[in-house]
Amino acid sequence: MIGRLNHVAIAVPDLKAAAAQYADTLGAKVGAPQDEPDHGVTVVFIELPNTKIELLYPLGEASPINGFLEKNPAGGIHHICYEVDDILAARDRLKAQGARVLGSGEPKIGAHGKPVLFLHPKDFNGTLIELEQV
């Protein structure tokens, strides 16, 4: 059901410094910041040969990243994202097997302009999973 790893998301307390570290220290191709108000984050994508890194920074007081950074002030891995061909079929299959879909259970449009869903980390070995339809 799941396809390739689309990205690993890292919550960061300083987006500019984190982006500069990837660009200057690691020599990575770093994109421009983009606000995602529906998700309460500003993101920067780092292109790698086989996947992407998504830097997450809170956008507004209600951002879900604020709570993560309160518990992890230095930042850290927030979630991993897998690609799926049919997000609704994937959701229905997962729910039938007892997995919890976060939010309303309906896909939202993600940072790549494609439908996404998040799965409860307690159902996946403590890891927040994002599914993105490709």
Side-chain angles (χ1 to χ4, degrees):
M1 179 179 66
I2 62 172
R4 71 184 276 280
L5 175 67
N6 183 279
H7 65 267
V8 175
I10 302 172
V12 298
D14 184 332
L15 188 59
K16 187 175 180 181
Q21 183 180 44
Y22 273 88
D24 301 338
T25 306
L26 296 173
K29 180 182 173 189
V30 176
Q34 74 188 64
D35 290 345
E36 295 294 332
D38 287 348
H39 298 278
V41 295
T42 299
V43 301
V44 168
F45 281 100
I46 297 148
E47 298 288 333
L48 303 176
N50 59 343
T51 193
K52 295 180 282 293
I53 300 293
E54 177 185 40
L55 301 178
L56 299 171
Y57 184 77
L59 179 64
E61 294 300 316
S63 173
I65 302 305
N66 285 327
F68 184 91
L69 289 173
E70 285 172 13
K71 294 176 190 165
N72 307 281
I77 294 176
H78 183 264
H79 69 267
I80 58 175
C81 177
Y82 297 111
E83 296 177 353
V84 295
D85 290 329
D86 183 334
I87 200 159
L88 295 177
R91 177 200 61 194
D92 294 345
R93 178 179 171 182
L94 287 159
K95 286 177 75 173
Q97 294 179 13
R100 290 172 281 180
V101 177
L102 298 179
S104 70
E106 293 302 316
K108 288 185 176 183
I109 299 302
H112 297 118
K114 299 175 182 173
V116 299
L117 287 171
F118 286 88
L119 306 174
H120 201 293
K122 289 186 178 175
D123 297 336
F124 294 94
N125 306 296
T127 304
L128 179 63
I129 302 290
E130 178 182 16
L131 300 178
E132 179 177 309
Q133 183 170 293
V134 294

